Amino acid sequence: MAGYADAEGKEPINEQAVANIYGAMRAEINQVYSKITELEMEASEHSLVINAIKPLDPSRRCFRMIGGVLVERTIKEVLPAVERNKEGLVEVIARLNEALEKKKKEMADFEAKFKIKIRKSDEVSDDSARKEGAAQGVLVGPAGANE
C-alpha cells in the first residue's frame, strides 16, 4: 500500500503510470479474493471433519496430518485442535474481508480522482464494430495465400 500512497502523494506523470497503479490495485484485490476463497474452502473442510467425528466415541483413534506427517491420536485430542483451527480460519477470513473492503474503497477513490472508467469487453467490440462500419466477415488468412 505504501506504493499507492507514494503515487498519490506525487501525482503520476502520465496515463501509463496511472494505468500501472490501477492495474496493481486490481491485481492486489484479486489476490485477496482468491485467498479468501481458499480459506473459506479450508474452513468448510474443517466443518466437514468436525461434523464427521463429533458423534463418534472420544476414545476412538483417528489420524491427523501435522506438518506433512500423519500421526495417530484419539478423537478427544483431535477434535479441539480442529475446532481451534477452524476458528482461526474464520478470524483470518474476517480480517481479509475488512482489508478487501478497505482496498475496494481505496480503488474507488483512485478511480474518482483520475476519472477512470472501465469498459466491458462487449462495449469494446461494439466500438470497434462501429469504426469498421457494416463490414463483417471472418479472417481466414493473408490475401494471396490461397493454396
Side-chain angles (χ1 to χ4, degrees):
M1 282 314 214
Y4 306 136
D6 293 344
E8 289 178 10
K10 52 181 181 177
E11 293 293 319
I13 299 168
N14 56 21
E15 289 181 18
Q16 186 62 41
V18 171
N20 289 343
I21 293 169
Y22 186 73
M25 292 172 101
R26 287 181 62 117
E28 196 171 344
I29 286 175
N30 287 336
Q31 283 179 327
V32 173
Y33 266 128
S34 63
K35 192 63 175 175
I36 288 171
T37 303
E38 176 187 333
L39 292 176
E40 284 175 343
M41 297 271 290
E42 203 168 316
S44 172
E45 290 174 4
H46 277 68
S47 294
L48 289 173
V49 170
I50 291 168
N51 292 336
I53 67 175
K54 206 172 223 175
L56 301 175
D57 178 27
S59 62
R60 184 174 174 171
R61 70 179 191 182
C62 68
F63 296 89
R64 179 176 181 218
M65 185 74 75
I66 300 176
V69 177
L70 193 62
V71 296
E72 184 178 346
R73 300 275 189 245
T74 63
I75 290 177
K76 182 174 75 175
E77 295 170 329
V78 170
L79 188 59
V82 174
E83 288 173 337
R84 271 194 313 272
N85 285 351
K86 183 183 175 219
E87 290 169 8
L89 286 170
V90 169
E91 288 177 22
V92 170
I93 290 169
R95 277 192 248 127
L96 283 174
N97 279 323
E98 290 172 11
L100 180 65
E101 291 305 314
K102 190 175 175 183
K103 288 178 192 304
K104 281 182 176 179
K105 184 183 180 321
E106 185 177 314
M107 190 164 132
D109 293 344
F110 190 81
E111 286 174 352
K113 182 176 182 179
F114 291 102
K115 298 176 181 77
I116 297 173
K117 292 190 169 104
I118 304 299
R119 277 195 263 172
K120 304 244 186 292
S121 60
D122 53 337
E123 291 176 11
V124 173
S125 62
D126 289 346
D127 290 345
S128 62
R130 279 188 226 122
K131 289 178 186 172
E132 294 174 8
Q136 292 182 357
V138 177
L139 179 61
V140 177
N146 297 338
E147 292 180 28

